[in-house]
Amino acid sequence: MGEPNIPDFWLYFISENHKIARLMGSYTFGAIDIGSNAIRLLITTVEEYPDQVEFKKSAFLRVPIRLGEDVFTQGAVSDQKRERMCEAMEGFAHIMRAYGVQDYRAYATSAMREAKNGPEITDYIRQKSGIAIEIISGQLEADTIFANGLVDILAADKTYLYVDVGGGSTEVIVYSNRTKVEARSFALGTVRILSDAVDKEEMKRFKKWLSAIGKKYQPTTIIGSGGNINKAQKLLNKKDRENITRSELDMLYRYIKSFSFAERVHTMRLATYRADVIVPAMKLFLTVCNQCGIEEIVVPKMGLSDGIIRTLYAQHKGSGA
């Protein structure tokens, strides 16, 4: 008799169950990213097998609170946004308990760094929700982003710029020979720009630093991070991790900029929280391209939340947990 004709579905089913049988360890972690534009919760299950470790996203939630609207114009988080933020954190706490999250980190970035009532807000939220928020520096933000497994997609013979454009700041990490060689955080972000709260000298510093990086390392590719570059990739009908060229991004930037906010929402069907910030975000990416002479952008859809998960897993393995 010949070999039995097993349908592809059952081959997959058998393979997956065999993999489950060989599962060595499983962890569930939570990551909260409190940005200037939105607050995000990522829950990931980490599964260990003899030959690999898999990071599987279990849940992702995004709440567009825009803390930066208050902070960049008034210097503090308003009572209204404080309450919305607290509601989100209480909801996140319930969701993490429901998913059986073993450990989590809640990192607040640019807006909370600058808010004069930042420590007061974190104390209030800890009392109300039980979630401990850490207001992190731009350097720790960049280092956490570095921990998110990006090195796995880097070619050894190329130099990359990892560019994360947020609501309040832009992080740039230089990778050469698959190693982080430089990193900087700039007070340039989409909400800050829309709020007309950008220090003109900061933009000059940004361009000057990029020009120096371009001359020193001659980077060839941008690794783009953030919801806006993810959306740009989708609008350009690109496949996952398919490169965006500088000319394609410039064309899309000019096209979207030609519409009013209302037209972007009603004609282009962009979400209201995306329709305004996408324009300054693309402008910042184009600035990096132009200052460094870079022609391509790859979008792996990895960011601060992913870095938090990777850091938590490494810490648990290091402690023998």
Side-chain angles (χ1 to χ4, degrees):
M1 290 179 63
E3 292 293 324
N5 184 16
I6 303 175
D8 289 343
F9 169 79
W10 288 109
L11 287 173
Y12 172 79
F13 182 79
I14 293 167
S15 173
E16 287 301 297
N17 277 275
H18 178 61
K19 184 185 286 186
I20 290 170
R22 294 185 293 114
L23 185 63
M24 297 171 62
S26 180
Y27 306 84
T28 301
F29 298 121
I32 299 174
D33 172 6
I34 302 167
S36 304
N37 190 30
I39 297 174
R40 305 168 185 84
L41 167 66
L42 172 66
I43 297 176
T44 297
T45 298
V46 186
E47 295 183 343
E48 299 176 324
Y49 301 100
D51 57 342
Q52 65 181 344
V53 176
E54 294 186 5
F55 292 78
K56 299 180 178 180
K57 181 171 73 174
S58 300
F60 179 77
L61 289 171
R62 180 186 189 279
V63 185
I65 294 178
R66 290 204 175 179
L67 298 174
E69 285 182 337
D70 289 345
V71 176
F72 303 144
T73 57
Q74 303 167 30
V77 176
S78 67
D79 290 345
Q80 181 184 23
K81 288 193 186 289
R82 180 195 66 181
E83 291 307 315
R84 287 187 62 199
M85 183 178 174
C86 190
E87 290 283 354
M89 290 299 116
E90 289 181 284
F92 287 178
H94 286 299
I95 291 168
M96 287 196 292
R97 283 195 290 271
Y99 273 89
V101 167
Q102 296 161 253
D103 199 1
Y104 76 95
R105 293 289 183 277
Y107 283 173
T109 57
S110 184
M112 289 290 284
R113 279 199 292 268
E114 296 182 30
K116 59 187 178 184
N117 59 344
E120 175 189 325
I121 296 289
T122 60
D123 287 343
Y124 179 80
I125 288 174
R126 184 169 59 251
Q127 292 172 12
K128 291 285 187 177
S129 70
I131 290 180
I133 297 170
E134 183 179 351
I135 300 174
I136 64 171
S137 67
Q139 187 58 56
L140 179 55
E141 185 176 356
D143 289 343
T144 304
I145 290 169
F146 175 71
N148 69 10
L150 279 173
V151 70
D152 298 334
I153 68 171
L154 304 179
D157 59 345
K158 296 179 68 174
T159 297
Y160 301 82
L161 296 187
Y162 180 93
V163 182
D164 180 64
V165 176
S169 64
T170 294
E171 273 61 52
V172 184
I173 306 173
V174 185
Y175 293 97
S176 184
N177 297 320
R178 302 188 75 189
T179 302
K180 184 184 76 170
V181 292
E182 294 198 40
R184 282 284 296 271
S185 177
F186 294 89
L188 298 168
T190 57
V191 177
R192 192 188 297 271
I193 290 170
L194 292 172
S195 301
D196 196 25
V198 173
D199 180 355
K200 292 181 181 178
E201 291 302 312
E202 184 74 346
M203 181 59 76
K204 290 180 181 178
R205 285 189 289 269
F206 183 56
K207 290 181 177 180
K208 183 178 179 180
W209 185 80
L210 287 172
S211 295
I213 290 296
K215 292 176 183 176
K216 183 176 181 180
Y217 296 102
Q218 298 180 332
T220 59
T221 306
I222 290 173
I223 300 172
S225 176
N228 291 297
I229 197 66
N230 292 347
K231 186 62 177 181
Q233 185 189 44
K234 187 174 181 180
L235 289 170
L236 289 166
N237 294 315
K238 296 287 185 176
K239 297 177 182 178
D240 188 35
R241 298 195 181 183
E242 182 181 357
N243 288 355
I244 299 171
T245 67
R246 172 164 45 169
S247 61
E248 287 172 333
L249 188 64
D250 185 61
M251 174 194 68
L252 182 63
Y253 166 70
R254 294 176 188 278
Y255 177 72
I256 295 178
K257 191 179 179 184
S258 70
F259 289 92
S260 67
F261 174 81
E263 288 171 335
R264 291 173 205 156
V265 173
H266 298 296
T267 304
M268 296 189 66
R269 303 298 177 90
L270 293 177
T272 53
Y273 63 78
R274 183 71 62 208
D276 52 355
V277 293
I278 193 169
V279 173
M282 287 193 292
K283 180 63 175 176
L284 285 169
F285 277 106
L286 286 168
T287 298
V288 178
C289 287
N290 295 333
Q291 293 298 125
C292 296
I294 296 174
E295 296 295 337
E296 64 177 14
I297 303 169
V298 63
V299 186
K301 297 182 180 178
M302 302 169 73
L304 179 62
S305 297
D306 302 277
I308 293 173
I309 298 294
R310 298 267 182 161
T311 300
L312 285 170
Y313 174 65
Q315 290 172 350
H316 274 252
K317 294 302 292 182
S319 66

